[in-house]
Amino acid sequence: AVAAYREAIDRDPGFSWSYHNLGAALLQLERWPEAVTAFRAAVQLNPEFAWSHYNLAEALVRLADWNAAIAAYQAALNCQPDLPYAAAHLADALQQRAAADRMKSFALYRQAIQQTPNNPENYHKALELNPDAVELYPGLIKALISRQQFDEALVCGQIAQHLQPDIPEIAALITEVLQQRDQLRQPRSINTDYQRWMQQHTPTAADLAQMQVAAKSLAYQPLISVVMPVYNPPIAFLKAAVESVLAQVYPYWELCIADDASTEAQVQSILDEYVSQDQRIKVVYRQENGHISAASNSALAQASGDYIALLDHDDLLAPEALYEIAALLNQHPEADMLYSDEDKLNEQGERVMPFFKPDWCPDSFLSRMYTCHLGVYRRSLVEAIGGFRVGYEGSQDYDLVLRLTEQTQQIFHLPKVLYHWRSHSNSVSVHHNAKPYAEDAAVRAIAEAHQRRGEAIRSVETNTKYPGVYITRYQISDYKRVSIIIPTRNLGETLNRCLESIFTKTSYPNYEVILIDNGSDDSDSLYSIAAWEQREPERLKCYSLDIPFNYSKINNLAVTEAQGDYLLFLNNDVEILTEDWIEAMVEQVQRPSIGAVGGLLLYPNDTVQHAGVVLGLGGVAGHSHKHYPSCSRGYLLQLVSINNYSAVTAACMICRRAVFEQVGGFDETLAVAFNDVDLCLKMQQAGYYNLFLPHVKLYHHESLSRGTEDTPEKQKRFSQERATLRERWGRHLQKDPCYSPNLTLERQDYSIRV
């Protein structure tokens, strides 16, 4: 038959049917390249005949030429929309192309793993593309162990065992993880990164001598009153605390001590001895025990300084602490409150567990008392608000700062470790439950703060697993309409999962879904959209915008069609997990101070994809705690508390329409990358705070719709958008106010910058 059709072609090379029949014969013989040539000739002679396009696609599929096969199927359907099998086979080809692209990217990540075997990011990216590649898990676990990310390593080991239970190497690595994690938690364990950081940042004796000279030349030499309530401390710790004040290189201080009727006889004799030793030390002896708030007020009553600094009777000030405070006050004499970073002293006297803090983040502070030590406050302002309140013992400092920061915004953070918080058997720094009454006092202090501020709340929720974390649930003043805006293209099953989770799990009573179809051309997606339009005619509307993908332009158009006062931008590859997700977000975004609010996005393997955006990561911006286990508390409770971030991802982000319009919406020159970061930074620049909520949880099947940056065109566009953001926000990218300069910008795990 092949020979006969070739002879017919020789006699009449312009007859398309001969080429078509030749191609069909070659298909049966599985001579795919020759069949492709024949069908292409048939198509060229008769481009209106659908079956030639269809058979050409069938031959191209056998050669795994997915792009050409997809184009041929689409041409067949253009000629005959009801052509049997064409739509289904086109969908198959689209899936095969996506799978081939994933395997290509997977191979490249495998190559990167060989080059840098200790980089967990490459393992994670490879496993996102091929989750069944169990052979990668041993290397990933080893890389995580090398970075002391033991919780994440343990979760990865458990996933590997679930995939293939009988791998001895995985079992051995899990044992190693548990052993090393337990060793790290032993009292004598010191984080090696922090040791290196201390070597680089702790002042030497020569540095301290220079500070001592410089202190006498400061234009402004404020008297700083160190306020210290005392009650039966371990004698050695009390002496060390007082000695740490005497060792200050800044000389303009007074130590105001109030002994709260200690029953240990040595306490008074030691304090009397220090009073005789240095006239800057003042002591008052209370006649009856009144607890820490009353004792602190007695100490405060002796203070004559411009500022007070709080010191617990068993902690230490770094020798440079008060000098650094005075130096900052010379730069910012308007400061009403200053706070520094801190660490802990274990029972062997070793410095461990540094807490590197962000700048002032008011919503983070409502969720946990993170400013803590060293806290320094303008004395006149402390006295004006009535000092410490009796009845708030255990959270008296928290209550004080809540009230004080309602009177001023002149709050400054000094990102240096100036305070050493001692850990011992009765210390709240080790066991929060050593002072169980503190939790109740904190809840009351937060609730009253909201009342003073005119914010109606439903409750202040505590965290039984992580004491010291508080989640405020606000009353919703008006259940205004929320417009859920979802750009989509193809991937009908993915979109269907997203919509199913919205319509079946959402408890918020007033919302609409705005779909923007960006050129879907597979039958499954078109069918899914049509089915949902029929199923939810009142709550779902779909608009077509068949343009080259531009996330910003698509969403800006959707806003013009949306009716809601709140705009909730959502990816089509997310899945809702929390029924009151919209209530939780509206509670926050209704507040006048709030710009954008985002939630906790998880990969389907229950590790973190997004928990807030940190500026400067990777040179521009990146997701915090990426790939941490969902059960992790994060860096010092960051993952389980409400926190201000400079940006959140638009994969799930809500804002008020008025704020969105005020800042000009999404920048359409940022078609794919960083448009959400840019939007959030515009809100931050306009004076709004952006928020991450740990109790709003979604699965995120990341970047399914647009794929990876795996072509020269995509990479060029990404580089251009990256350059745009750096040019526009360069100064802000260098110092994120919601992140510490002492933490790394090379990784997303809040590890120390050394």
Side-chain angles (χ1 to χ4, degrees):
V2 170
Y5 290 129
R6 290 195 189 281
E7 184 177 345
I9 290 169
D10 289 340
R11 292 178 180 177
D12 186 1
F15 186 47
S16 67
W17 193 251
S18 297
Y19 288 99
H20 180 87
N21 287 338
L22 172 60
L26 292 166
L27 272 180
Q28 291 183 350
L29 295 172
E30 299 184 357
R31 290 158 63 175
W32 318 121
E34 295 173 77
V36 167
T37 302
F39 285 122
R40 280 181 169 156
V43 165
Q44 188 172 7
L45 291 168
N46 184 9
E48 303 302 320
F49 186 49
W51 282 103
S52 292
H53 291 287
Y54 175 82
N55 287 347
L56 170 59
E58 294 287 286
L60 290 164
V61 163
R62 302 309 193 282
L63 296 172
D65 189 346
W66 305 113
N67 289 332
I70 288 165
Y73 281 128
Q74 289 170 333
L77 286 168
N78 288 337
C79 295
Q80 186 178 335
D82 60 349
L83 186 68
Y85 311 117
H89 287 194
L90 171 58
D92 291 341
L94 287 166
Q95 289 183 347
Q96 293 288 347
R97 181 177 67 179
D101 288 344
R102 285 196 298 270
M103 293 313 296
K104 179 181 177 182
S105 297
F106 177 73
L108 291 172
Y109 283 124
R110 289 290 298 263
Q111 182 179 344
I113 286 169
Q114 292 176 353
Q115 295 169 349
T116 54
N118 288 326
N119 182 1
E121 285 291 310
N122 291 329
Y123 289 96
H124 285 306
K125 290 174 180 176
L127 286 165
E128 287 170 25
L129 295 165
N130 184 7
D132 295 329
V134 70
E135 70 277 4
L136 295 183
Y137 279 94
L140 170 58
I141 295 168
K142 291 174 185 175
L144 292 169
I145 290 173
S146 71
R147 296 190 177 188
Q148 297 185 342
Q149 295 174 228
F150 299 122
D151 289 340
E152 185 178 349
L154 186 59
V155 170
C156 290
Q158 292 167 343
I159 293 171
Q161 285 188 322
H162 177 74
L163 291 170
Q164 191 171 331
D166 55 349
I167 305 177
E169 186 178 8
I170 295 295
L173 285 169
I174 288 175
T175 300
E176 182 180 348
V177 168
L178 293 170
Q179 290 174 343
Q180 290 206 30
R181 186 181 68 175
D182 290 343
Q183 289 174 4
L184 189 67
R185 291 174 177 173
Q186 293 301 313
R188 291 195 60 81
S189 172
I190 302 177
N191 182 283
T192 54
D193 280 350
Y194 189 44
Q195 286 182 317
R196 292 171 59 197
W197 186 93
M198 286 190 287
Q199 290 170 359
Q200 296 167 8
H201 294 276
T202 302
T204 63
D207 294 329
L208 294 173
Q210 188 174 3
M211 291 177 188
Q212 197 165 25
V213 173
K216 297 176 182 178
S217 302
L218 291 174
Y220 176 39
Q221 297 172 333
L223 177 65
I224 300 174
S225 300
V226 180
V227 170
M228 188 170 76
V230 170
Y231 179 72
N232 287 342
I235 296 304
F237 294 168
L238 174 62
K239 288 182 176 180
V242 176
E243 292 290 343
S244 76
V245 179
L246 289 168
Q248 292 298 302
V249 296
Y250 181 78
Y252 310 110
W253 55 261
E254 60 180 7
L255 176 57
C256 302
I257 300 173
D259 177 63
D260 196 23
S262 291
T263 57
E264 295 290 338
Q266 278 187 289
V267 172
Q268 181 169 347
S269 61
I270 288 169
L271 293 179
D272 287 343
E273 182 180 340
Y274 278 119
V275 169
S276 63
Q277 179 180 332
D278 195 307
Q279 63 181 4
R280 294 173 296 179
I281 299 177
K282 306 175 181 179
V283 180
V284 61
Y285 295 100
R286 292 173 50 82
Q287 296 305 305
E288 59 181 13
N289 181 264
H291 216 317
I292 191 168
S293 294
S296 296
N297 284 334
S298 296
L300 177 62
Q302 301 179 87
S304 59
D306 298 327
Y307 290 86
I308 65 166
L310 305 185
L311 175 63
D312 288 351
H313 64 193
D314 49 1
D315 296 341
L316 302 180
L317 295 180
E320 72 276 15
L322 299 185
Y323 170 80
E324 293 287 4
I325 295 297
L328 183 60
L329 286 170
N330 272 263
Q331 296 176 353
H332 296 284
E334 73 277 16
D336 290 319
M337 170 180 165
L338 306 89
Y339 64 96
S340 75
D341 294 344
E342 62 189 89
D343 62 13
K344 292 184 172 61
L345 293 175
N346 65 18
E347 293 191 357
Q348 289 72 40
E350 300 162 328
R351 290 175 58 185
V352 296
M353 295 180 64
F355 184 6
F356 295 121
K357 305 169 187 176
D359 290 346
W360 177 242
C361 294
D363 301 289
S364 302
F365 189 77
L366 282 168
S367 194
R368 57 191 172 119
M369 202 308 186
Y370 77 85
T371 61
C372 212
H373 301 302
L374 172 68
V376 178
Y377 313 98
R378 189 181 294 275
R379 180 172 63 89
S380 60
L381 192 54
V382 172
E383 292 175 345
I385 63 172
F388 299 91
R389 290 203 291 176
V390 173
Y392 294 82
E393 286 77 14
S395 292
Q396 72 285 340
D397 294 1
Y398 200 177
D399 174 63
L400 179 82
V401 178
L402 284 167
R403 290 181 289 121
L404 186 141
T405 53
E406 292 165 10
Q407 307 301 319
T408 181
Q409 289 299 307
Q410 300 301 329
I411 304 165
F412 291 83
H413 169 222
L414 193 56
K416 300 183 178 185
V417 177
L418 303 181
Y419 193 99
H420 310 305
W421 193 359
R422 195 180 297 276
S423 301
H424 55 87
S425 57
N426 292 321
S427 172
V428 70
S429 69
V430 176
H431 302 293
H432 190 278
N433 289 331
K435 296 181 180 179
Y437 50 85
E439 195 92 338
D440 174 66
V443 169
R444 285 188 287 111
I446 295 167
E448 290 174 9
H450 288 298
Q451 186 177 15
R452 289 191 302 271
R453 300 170 191 186
E455 295 182 320
I457 66 170
R458 291 190 286 129
S459 62
V460 178
E461 300 174 355
T462 59
N463 190 320
T464 56
K465 188 175 180 182
Y466 301 114
V469 173
Y470 310 96
I471 302 294
T472 297
R473 301 303 303 261
Y474 296 83
Q475 290 184 16
I476 296 177
S477 58
D478 186 356
Y479 284 83
K480 297 178 181 178
R481 175 165 292 191
V482 174
S483 295
I484 304 173
I485 294 170
I486 307 176
T488 190
R489 174 181 166 83
N490 293 331
L491 297 170
E493 183 178 347
T494 298
L495 175 63
N496 190 67
R497 177 178 54 214
C498 175
L499 294 176
E500 184 77 30
S501 71
I502 292 172
F503 287 117
T504 60
K505 293 183 179 178
T506 300
S507 58
Y508 191 83
N510 186 13
Y511 69 93
E512 63 177 356
V513 175
I514 306 294
L515 282 182
I516 302 295
D517 180 19
N518 186 215
S520 292
D521 53 15
D522 76 85
S523 56
D524 285 348
S525 297
L526 297 174
Y527 174 80
S528 180
I529 292 171
W532 278 106
E533 284 181 306
Q534 185 174 6
R535 183 173 165 183
E536 293 285 349
E538 300 299 322
R539 295 193 293 185
L540 183 142
K541 291 181 173 57
C542 182
Y543 301 91
S544 295
L545 185 63
D546 193 1
I547 61 171
F549 181 77
N550 184 316
Y551 182 87
S552 297
K553 184 176 289 187
I554 292 169
N555 280 286
N556 286 342
L557 171 68
V559 170
T560 66
E561 301 291 348
Q563 298 178 9
D565 292 286
Y566 300 118
L567 306 174
L568 202 170
F569 301 99
L570 199 70
N571 276 19
N572 67 344
D573 55 359
V574 302
E575 180 181 356
I576 310 306
L577 300 178
T578 309
E579 288 189 1
D580 68 342
W581 66 297
I582 296 183
E583 285 95 334
M585 298 177 85
V586 168
E587 287 173 18
Q588 295 285 354
V589 80
Q590 69 180 348
R591 300 166 61 207
S593 61
I594 301 302
V597 176
L600 174 61
L601 274 61
L602 305 172
Y603 289 115
N605 67 355
D606 285 316
T607 59
V608 173
Q609 185 269 331
H610 167 84
V613 170
V614 174
L615 304 181
L617 283 180
V620 179
H623 299 283
S624 86
H625 295 94
K626 195 169 184 180
H627 301 299
Y628 267 56
S630 62
C631 59
S632 172
R633 71 176 195 166
Y635 178 73
L636 294 171
L637 303 172
Q638 194 84 11
L639 273 178
V640 295
S641 54
I642 295 173
N643 284 287
N644 292 115
Y645 279 91
S646 290
V648 292
T649 179
C652 177
M653 176 177 73
I654 194 171
C655 63
R656 299 194 299 281
R657 177 192 286 271
V659 174
F660 182 84
E661 293 174 347
Q662 176 188 345
V663 301
F666 287 104
D667 183 348
E668 295 181 9
T669 65
L670 298 171
V672 178
F674 306 122
N675 34 56
D676 46 7
V677 175
D678 179 72
L679 179 70
C680 288
L681 287 176
K682 289 190 291 186
M683 292 179 183
Q684 189 180 65
Q685 188 178 57
Y688 299 101
Y689 291 99
N690 302 317
L691 274 184
F692 157 74
L693 303 182
H695 49 294
V696 173
K697 297 181 181 180
L698 307 89
Y699 279 139
H700 188 197
H701 309 270
E702 187 184 20
S703 300
L704 287 172
S705 296
R706 65 178 180 87
T708 56
E709 311 293 345
D710 55 1
T711 67
E713 181 182 351
K714 287 182 178 181
Q715 290 168 355
K716 180 180 179 182
R717 185 261 310 142
F718 180 81
S719 296
Q720 289 173 340
E721 293 178 346
R722 177 187 175 96
T724 297
L725 203 75
R726 296 185 72 169
E727 180 179 352
R728 183 176 301 165
W729 299 105
R731 180 173 60 85
H732 298 268
L733 302 181
Q734 293 171 11
K735 187 182 184 304
D736 187 337
C738 302
Y739 188 72
S740 171
N742 292 313
L743 298 174
T744 184
L745 294 177
E746 297 177 0
R747 297 184 296 279
Q748 301 170 9
D749 58 2
Y750 275 71
S751 54
I752 299 172
R753 178 186 291 190
V754 290

